[in-house]
Amino acid sequence: MKLDLKIVEPIVRSALAEDIGFGDITTESVVEENQIGKASLVVKEPGVIAGLDVAACAFHLVDPKLTITYLAKDGETIAKGQAVMEVEGSARSILTAERVALNFLQRMSGIATKTARFVEQVRYYNAKITDTRKTTPGLRVLEKYAVRVGGGRNHRFGLFDAVLIKDNHIEMAGGVKEAIMAARHHIPHTTKVEIEVETLEQIEEALEVKADIIMLDNMSLEIMREAVERIAGRAIVEASGGVTEENIVDIAKTGVDFISIGALTHSVKSLDISLDIVALGREE
């Protein structure tokens, strides 16, 4: 599982430009230009690491001469106190890139860690964990990658690659059947149609016109179980809305195929990771 650095690099460049601006005035004032250092990126709490290549990209964009040593791989479960990367070279460069590198690594690792917890909870059930489009603007490719690293799956990437008919679409189209038939008329025959429903009556309408995927939106567990029974394998069933670590097992027990969780990306806690540097002398 790899990130395309051609896509990643512009994102990291933008973050560096935002942070550095016209220069790192603190580092340039305090650290001598020829000072050499060696830094370790250390995880301060257990979790699943994700985003090492993104962190490395930040360091190399600031200074291509920096030497980077990977001590872990994306997807590994890391213990508290474990170093995941070492960076050696210009101390100025390391310190200038530090915050951007850590910001990406911490957030992506937080997403992977949270995803892994959900995946572990439903390991004995049919349900698969998937993300949503509730991502940080501009960082979707990184955040969805982190979900995959954590063992989850990606829902559609954007508006362009899948049909998902939601309540507002249904309202504008005049009903569930009307919305699905309109979508079928417009899209290629190879594209699946997913529709979000809130009632059992809407499920019957969706089945009548052969929706491929039916999303059960914020339904009670009782209604969800009945919905799965009614659908009876005629469509993929996805549960969405209000999913937490406290209720996800009960949702999985209803027999749904997928559970989509916006919280994987929109309200995740970053993993605590720090950079510790030691001086190695001065470059001649």
Side-chain angles (χ1 to χ4, degrees):
M1 186 187 310
K2 281 284 187 181
L3 274 169
D4 185 348
L5 291 181
K6 291 180 181 178
I7 297 174
V8 171
E9 188 174 306
I11 298 172
V12 179
R13 281 190 186 279
S14 177
L16 288 168
E18 175 185 63
D19 198 37
I20 299 170
F22 296 108
D24 179 357
I25 60 175
T26 304
T27 299
E28 291 169 7
S29 301
V30 174
V31 180
E32 293 187 19
E33 188 174 2
N34 64 345
Q35 178 70 59
I36 301 299
K38 183 175 183 179
S40 297
L41 276 64
V42 180
V43 175
K44 296 301 187 71
E45 58 182 325
V48 177
I49 202 73
L52 289 168
D53 284 346
V54 184
C57 180
F59 286 115
H60 275 153
L61 286 175
V62 169
D63 186 348
K65 294 181 181 179
L66 291 175
T67 300
I68 295 175
T69 303
Y70 289 79
L71 304 178
K73 295 179 180 179
D74 280 2
E76 287 186 14
T77 299
I78 305 300
K80 178 181 178 180
Q82 185 174 341
V84 295
M85 178 182 286
E86 290 179 341
V87 187
E88 186 172 337
S90 166
R92 279 191 175 187
S93 298
I94 293 171
L95 294 174
T96 297
E98 173 185 2
R99 178 43 52 201
V100 168
L102 286 177
N103 281 351
F104 282 120
L105 188 61
Q106 288 177 306
R107 179 159 183 81
M108 292 175 69
S109 297
I111 291 169
T113 300
K114 189 176 186 72
T115 302
R117 286 203 302 267
F118 277 115
V119 170
E120 172 65 17
Q121 285 183 281
V122 301
R123 69 190 185 280
Y124 298 121
Y125 304 97
N126 178 61
K128 304 296 187 293
I129 302 302
T130 185
D131 54 25
T132 71
R133 284 169 47 244
K134 295 176 182 177
T135 54
T136 308
L139 300 184
R140 183 170 293 172
V141 65
L142 303 184
E143 294 182 347
K144 281 184 170 283
Y145 166 80
V147 168
R148 297 197 305 276
V149 168
R153 302 197 182 185
N154 293 151
H155 210 289
R156 58 178 178 164
F157 189 84
L159 297 173
F160 56 88
D161 62 341
V163 173
L164 174 46
I165 301 168
K166 299 177 75 67
D167 56 349
N168 287 331
H169 298 114
I170 294 170
E171 176 67 24
M172 291 297 100
V176 168
K177 289 191 289 187
E178 290 81 1
I180 293 174
M181 288 189 293
R184 291 272 188 224
H185 180 73
H186 181 76
I187 62 175
H189 69 282
T190 54
T191 304
K192 291 183 178 181
V193 173
E194 178 171 7
I195 188 158
E196 175 186 271
V197 299
E198 299 175 345
T199 66
L200 294 173
E201 291 72 26
Q202 287 183 321
I203 289 174
E204 295 298 338
E205 291 185 65
L207 289 171
E208 186 178 334
V209 286
K210 296 180 170 54
D212 298 296
I213 307 165
I214 298 176
M215 177 191 288
L216 311 179
D217 183 43
N218 283 293
M219 287 186 176
S220 68
L221 292 172
E222 182 182 355
I223 299 298
M224 213 178 288
R225 279 190 290 271
E226 185 172 348
V228 171
E229 289 178 7
R230 288 199 186 191
I231 294 168
R234 289 179 287 172
I236 294 170
V237 186
E238 177 182 337
S240 183
V243 181
T244 66
E245 291 186 50
E246 289 68 40
N247 66 15
I248 191 168
V249 171
D250 289 332
I251 293 173
K253 286 178 179 179
T254 66
V256 297
D257 300 298
F258 289 91
I259 304 174
S260 55
I261 308 171
L264 294 180
T265 52
H266 73 56
S267 57
V268 71
K269 176 187 174 294
S270 294
L271 197 68
D272 189 4
I273 304 172
S274 68
L275 182 147
D276 302 323
I277 189 170
V278 294
L280 296 181
R282 291 173 175 78
E283 190 175 38
E284 297 298 331

